[in-house]
Amino acid sequence: MKIFVAGGAGYIGSICVEQMLDRGHEVAVFDNLTEGHRAAVDLRATFYEADLGDRDAVVRAMGEAAPDAIMHFAASALVGESMTNPSKYFRNNVANGINLLDAMVTWGVKKFVFSSTCATFGIPEKMPIDESLPQHPINPYGESKLMFERMLRWYDEIHGLRFTALRYFNAAGASKKFGEDHRIETHLIPNILKVALGQKEAVEIYGTDYPTPDGTCIRDYIHILDLADAHILALDREESDFFNIGTGGGTSVREVIDCCRRVTGREIAVVEKSRRSGDPPRLVAGSEKIRRVLGWEPRFESIEAIVTSAWHWHQQHPQGYGD
Ligand code: UDP
């Protein structure tokens, strides 16, 4: 298939692009490189450097690429930032995303794979979080993604756009070539590995008084290659649907740090800080539906496997993509 990937130069997008190319698909990447990196765009892909906010550019690029399906990774994705700058989140994640949907309507492209998030659930009333739970986001990031999910239903009903919305839990790890490099790094695993590499003195733990066994937040870390598999499986779907995607295991911040100590064999100093606003205590995916309906199976379920792949990449790219 020919796939048009908005945000294909970012962390998750770049690895999905690589994995699709490896499986014989043709890929066009559309990215403004504000978060993404030119060096993260696989050389086998066609590249359009342009902004999703530029409606004409989106329509033109999509017309030229003539894709069978669209994947949409181009979004702002930091919970903390969304609590101080909601405008950025509603503009990038909702308003600009509409340009992508409208370009699909213009060119008659019917298949859409959307990067959604467990942050659409807020603080869920039970765990694990399956698709039946109500969605009550507690930050503008989650709200913006939920708004987009809701728009998708209407584009389906009115324009016949078939979508798969994948609600990611915590994507982590790396492929052999591509990994996680954010210009301002807020994510847990890369920040711990910076300490292991001697680039940072200590990792900050945001909150040690959560109602969890060790007082730190619990997240469901999913290997980026397993996430890429789900996107590729979604390309074969003919019906619209929403899936939560994680491994179903929960790992606390302290457990992730201990795992990084074991994998790297290095000392990792920590500083205990207060809670980061917008962080729910525990987020673990109910992944029964995606396993059953998409036939998805994670290949790397352990936090060790995830951290090991990230550590290999960071050792080989200590300055990330270097831009
Ligand atoms: N976290 C932390 N120190 C850091 C970065 C993150 O304690 O330097 C915590 C954060 O509060 C959350 C968990 O680690 O509980 C995962 O955060 P991350 O930003 O990686 O992903 P998120 O869950 O926000 O998508």
Side-chain angles (χ1 to χ4, degrees):
M1 285 171 83
K2 279 197 214 167
I3 324 294
F4 184 89
V5 183
Y11 167 46
I12 302 176
S14 63
I15 293 174
C16 285
V17 167
E18 174 197 33
Q19 297 301 306
M20 288 193 287
L21 288 162
D22 284 353
R23 288 165 169 83
H25 295 295
E26 245 179 78
V27 179
V29 168
F30 184 98
D31 200 298
N32 65 4
L33 300 184
T34 54
E35 299 291 336
H37 309 271
R38 185 65 183 89
V41 180
D42 197 299
L43 292 171
R44 296 167 291 174
T46 309
F47 180 52
Y48 297 94
E49 183 177 345
D51 197 292
L52 213 50
D54 181 346
R55 189 188 171 96
D56 292 342
V58 181
V59 172
R60 226 178 305 122
M62 198 185 290
E64 203 175 293
D68 304 298
I70 309 296
M71 286 190 187
H72 179 27
F73 300 94
S76 302
L78 302 178
V79 166
E81 183 188 51
S82 81
M83 294 293 281
T84 57
N85 188 359
S87 161
K88 177 175 176 182
Y89 282 72
F90 293 117
R91 190 174 310 280
N92 289 349
N93 298 0
V94 184
N96 292 352
I98 297 174
N99 292 335
L100 201 53
L101 299 182
D102 288 349
M104 291 178 70
V105 174
T106 301
W107 298 113
V109 185
K110 298 288 186 201
K111 210 166 258 195
F112 189 75
V113 184
F114 177 54
S115 303
S116 191
T117 169
C118 60
T120 57
F121 289 99
I123 300 179
E125 55 202 31
K126 72 178 176 63
M127 213 56 67
I129 305 168
D130 65 30
E131 292 79 1
S132 69
L133 292 185
Q135 290 170 290
H136 299 299
I138 59 162
N139 49 60
Y141 167 57
E143 188 74 60
S144 68
K145 290 284 184 173
L146 180 57
M147 287 167 80
F148 205 84
E149 283 194 0
R150 295 220 164 108
M151 294 194 314
L152 287 176
R153 291 180 193 269
W154 294 106
Y155 275 77
D156 179 348
E157 189 167 322
I158 296 161
H159 296 296
L161 183 154
R162 297 289 181 258
F163 66 84
T164 302
L166 298 172
R167 297 181 186 131
Y168 310 160
F169 283 61
N170 287 61
S175 74
K176 289 212 167 61
K177 279 204 295 214
F178 301 110
E180 187 167 11
D181 174 17
H182 297 107
R183 291 194 175 81
I184 297 172
E185 192 52 79
T186 63
H187 292 101
L188 180 62
I189 293 175
N191 270 332
I192 302 172
L193 296 179
K194 275 185 201 295
V195 181
L197 283 169
Q199 296 174 349
K200 223 174 118 95
E201 232 160 71
V203 61
E204 296 180 340
I205 299 182
Y206 301 141
T208 53
D209 59 348
Y210 282 99
T212 59
D214 69 16
T216 66
C217 285
I218 291 176
R219 293 288 180 273
D220 184 338
Y221 295 88
I222 169 172
H223 198 296
I224 190 80
L225 292 175
D226 287 330
L227 201 51
D229 284 351
H231 288 76
I232 293 169
L233 289 168
L235 291 174
D236 292 329
R237 293 275 299 163
E238 299 298 337
E239 287 153 56
S240 295
D241 216 338
F242 300 90
F243 298 99
N244 295 355
I245 175 161
T247 60
T251 313
S252 74
V253 173
R254 287 195 202 279
E255 286 169 340
V256 175
I257 295 169
D258 283 340
C259 176
C260 290
R261 290 185 175 123
R262 288 195 301 277
V263 167
T264 65
R266 312 235 171 135
E267 278 185 25
I268 293 165
V270 304
V271 189
E272 295 184 2
K273 296 283 201 183
S274 52
R275 294 181 178 194
R276 184 172 73 176
S277 82
D279 270 345
R282 188 158 181 257
L283 294 171
V284 175
S287 58
E288 187 276 328
K289 180 177 173 187
I290 191 164
R291 290 173 194 252
R292 176 172 44 82
V293 179
L294 283 193
W296 175 79
E297 274 302 326
R299 291 181 279 157
F300 309 94
E301 275 186 273
S302 71
I303 189 73
E304 269 78 9
I306 293 172
V307 167
T308 300
S309 71
W311 179 232
H312 283 153
W313 192 82
H314 285 283
Q315 279 180 301
Q316 280 156 15
H317 303 84
Q319 303 308 325
Y321 289 106
D323 56 358

